Amino acid sequence: MNVSDLVQRAELAVKAGAGGLDAEVTGGYASDLLSAVMANAVEGNVWVTWHAHPNIVAVALLVKLSAIILVAGRQPEDETAEKAEQEGVPILVSSLPAFELVGRLHAMGVAGAT
Amino acid sequence: MKTFWADLHVHTCLSPCGDDRMRPRAMVQQAKQKGLDLIAVCDHNASGNVEAVRQAGRGEGLAVIGGIEVTSEEEVHVLALFDEQQGLRDMQRLIDESLSGENNPDLFGEQLLCDERDAIVGQDTRLLIGATALRVEIVVDSIHHLGGLAIASHVDRESFSILSQLGFVPENLAIDAVEVSPRRSVAQVYAQRPELKAYPAVRSSDAHTLEQIGAVRTGFTAAAPSVRELHRALLGEGGRAVMN
Amino acid sequence: MILKDIQRELDADLLVGQDNLDLAIEMACGADLLSDVLAFAKSGALLLTGLTHPQVVRTTEIAEIKAVCFVRGKRPLPETLALAEEMGLPVLCTALPMYEACGRLYRLGLPGCSQAGEDR
């Protein structure tokens, strides 16, 4: 499954970084602590978070995440969107809170680490 | 007694997110142009440029307080301000012991160490954007134990503030003041969160670029431009006072 | 769904609440930012979080959260546990990361806070 499949099936809005929509999704990681994501998420994961801060793009690049999904209708800050656009890191937005979004992604087969 | 105009939260090029031009002389010049008497240098989890800025400030009559913007385990940012070099060093040692990882300059930005003439003398290789393993109470208590002042950074911001991370200020957290960012006034923040009135407030730029230095400032009337005197002004001791 | 179902599904340790295994849980929310919990969680929910600070327990009291599950193997601080015991707040602890824990509970039929329950 790639990022665009997720966009369609989970009804996500693409806010930036459409250049990265072909990336393969290896699983999911959900956290609002950047340090936890840097330490635990793995390459190709989609990251579910509340953070809209520009540092999320750098974290995504470090871990080589396939996409960032903001929850509860959060919008990326302007600088975040610009950086994501430049780097081709998709920033997607869901209207759902984290628990429900993760539930749906999981049901589509995007698993977490166990 | 005199009134000192202070920007109590400025980064240097040592912070990964700090602009490359945030070097000692340039920062001091900017601060003087903005009419500041005092700046506090607070890089993320680091203090390696404090002395260089202090020396640059010495020739220009700008007082420079040494500080660190510490990231707690909960990713709460807390400013640690010290008069004594020893206190700052000991706080830095505590952070170094509990911060892991290595910086990736391409992604997070370079972490440049400077001399007082703005020349680059090295790089800090640690992951300064990371979080320490210190819970926020330990951060605050350690700052106090080492003789410093603890200010909760940008409480009105929705990321990395005590309110964003922990919802409200824990009742046993002994912070000396809350910092309000340039985007809000102290009155607005107090009106929005009345429980914060229990703490004195300062307003600082959190400058990451030269232009941002002194964008907002806090004045305090006291005997000297020091952390100790700032503390007494926050407490309103002996006719001292803080103005925002 | 009851607390015992959640414990089983997440292979979680029950640190507080042995007497409360039949507690009905109607919905859940997952967050590491307590401001987010205060803003969006609904009364009666289970909170999944990676923060272990005692403030988590204080927040559950304000937000009327019914039980807490600490994720990714994070053990609550002793002070956090003591406070939870004092308040009679059931506490679970799972080695699963937030994502997998939320995914499994949702699949088991537990709704999220935007889908179920009454506004606080």
Side-chain angles (χ1 to χ4, degrees):
Chain A
M1 192 179 316
N2 66 19
V3 178
S4 10
D5 297 332
L6 281 194
V7 168
Q8 286 193 339
R9 294 176 61 187
E11 295 167 27
L12 306 173
V14 180
K15 293 291 171 180
L21 288 175
D22 290 339
E24 198 63 23
V25 175
T26 58
Y29 197 83
S31 179
D32 303 316
L33 299 172
L34 304 191
S35 49
V37 181
M38 288 192 275
N40 301 311
V42 297
E43 186 171 346
N45 280 181
V46 287
W47 172 22
V48 176
T49 187
W50 190 88
H51 276 295
H53 190 274
N55 280 354
I56 62 175
V57 180
V59 169
L61 289 166
L62 179 77
V63 187
K64 301 190 173 77
L65 299 171
S66 52
I68 301 168
I69 311 180
L70 306 185
V71 296
R74 296 270 302 155
Q75 298 299 317
E77 291 175 20
D78 292 344
E79 196 187 331
T80 310
E82 279 163 30
K83 223 166 136 181
E85 191 63 36
Q86 270 169 27
E87 302 286 350
V89 174
I91 304 240
L92 316 172
V93 173
S94 168
S95 58
L96 299 174
F99 180 83
E100 286 149 54
L101 174 68
V102 168
R104 289 196 187 184
L105 297 176
H106 198 265
M108 287 172 203
V110 180
T114 55
Chain B
M1 298 264 263
K2 182 177 176 277
T3 296
F4 300 99
W5 290 102
D7 187 343
L8 295 167
H9 183 176
V10 299
H11 290 265
T12 76
C13 55
L14 176 54
S15 290
C17 41
D19 192 272
D20 179 56
R21 296 173 304 136
M22 288 292 262
R23 302 194 193 182
R25 267 189 176 174
M27 292 172 63
V28 168
Q29 274 170 14
Q30 178 72 6
K32 290 299 289 182
Q33 268 176 24
K34 288 291 178 87
L36 297 173
D37 303 302
L38 169 70
I39 59 172
V41 172
C42 301
D43 283 308
H44 291 296
N45 297 312
S47 51
N49 276 344
V50 164
E51 270 316 300
V53 182
R54 182 172 285 149
Q55 281 180 35
R58 202 163 280 151
E60 302 286 334
L62 181 79
V64 175
I65 285 177
I68 305 174
E69 186 171 31
V70 188
T71 308
S72 77
E73 179 185 38
E74 307 85 3
E75 300 192 349
V76 175
H77 290 181
V78 179
L79 301 180
L81 306 182
F82 294 92
D83 278 329
E84 311 293 336
Q85 289 188 25
Q86 190 61 46
L88 185 66
R89 269 203 292 271
D90 289 345
M91 192 68 210
Q92 186 65 61
R93 190 169 309 140
L94 188 66
I95 290 166
D96 292 347
E97 285 165 3
S98 62
L99 185 70
S100 56
E102 198 171 309
N103 186 42
N104 182 330
D106 293 336
L107 300 181
F108 296 113
E110 293 197 295
Q111 301 178 160
L112 304 173
L113 292 161
C114 300
D115 68 13
E116 70 278 12
R117 295 174 176 194
D118 293 359
I120 296 166
V121 295
Q123 290 243 16
D124 195 323
T125 58
R126 295 167 305 146
L127 183 62
L128 298 181
I129 197 188
T132 65
L134 306 168
R135 57 182 286 211
V136 66
E137 285 88 349
I138 303 285
V139 172
V140 171
D141 291 350
S142 301
I143 293 167
H144 288 153
H145 179 70
L146 297 172
L149 201 63
I151 300 177
S153 298
H154 40 65
V155 291
D156 53 309
R157 274 186 42 186
E158 55 180 29
S159 302
F160 315 119
S161 80
I162 186 80
L163 299 183
S164 71
Q165 309 304 112
L166 296 181
F168 52 101
V169 184
E171 60 184 33
N172 57 349
L173 190 70
I175 47 173
D176 300 297
V178 294
E179 178 199 82
V180 171
S181 80
R183 64 191 83 183
R184 299 256 194 295
S185 71
V186 171
Q188 281 172 326
V189 170
Y190 277 165
Q192 210 172 5
R193 299 292 296 247
E195 77 271 20
L196 293 179
K197 291 179 186 167
Y199 306 94
V202 296
R203 202 159 167 240
S204 312
S205 70
D206 190 5
H208 285 70
T209 65
L210 285 174
E211 296 70 29
Q212 291 167 343
I213 295 174
V216 294
R217 56 189 192 168
T218 289
F220 65 101
T221 304
S226 66
V227 175
R228 183 166 300 119
E229 283 292 310
L230 170 64
H231 190 197
R232 297 190 68 186
L234 290 168
L235 296 170
E237 281 182 11
R240 291 168 181 78
V242 169
M243 288 165 287
N244 283 298
Chain C
M1 194 175 303
I2 60 172
L3 196 60
K4 201 174 174 177
D5 301 325
I6 290 165
Q7 183 196 8
R8 192 184 305 123
E9 185 64 26
L10 302 183
D11 194 17
D13 292 335
L14 184 69
L15 303 182
V16 181
Q18 294 298 338
D19 312 333
N20 259 326
L21 281 168
D22 294 330
L23 185 71
I25 301 288
E26 284 140 32
M27 60 190 144
C29 67
D32 294 324
L33 300 176
L34 297 178
S35 53
D36 194 12
V37 177
L38 288 171
F40 296 108
K42 285 182 182 164
S43 171
L46 165 78
L47 169 65
L48 297 118
T49 186
L51 275 191
T52 58
H53 193 275
Q55 192 81 344
V56 171
V57 179
R58 298 189 195 109
T59 298
T60 65
E61 191 177 19
I62 297 167
E64 296 173 0
I65 299 282
K66 239 175 175 175
V68 171
C69 181
F70 294 104
V71 297
R72 68 184 161 91
K74 297 285 279 183
R75 287 272 159 178
L77 297 165
E79 194 186 329
T80 308
L81 265 189
L83 199 57
E85 261 162 25
E86 191 185 310
M87 287 172 32
L89 176 78
V91 173
L92 296 167
C93 200
T94 178
L96 294 174
M98 173 84 87
Y99 185 96
E100 185 63 18
C102 291
R104 288 189 187 187
L105 294 180
Y106 187 86
R107 191 170 272 202
L108 203 63
L110 191 63
C113 285
S114 81
Q115 300 166 300
E118 294 293 316
D119 265 316
R120 275 190 288 125

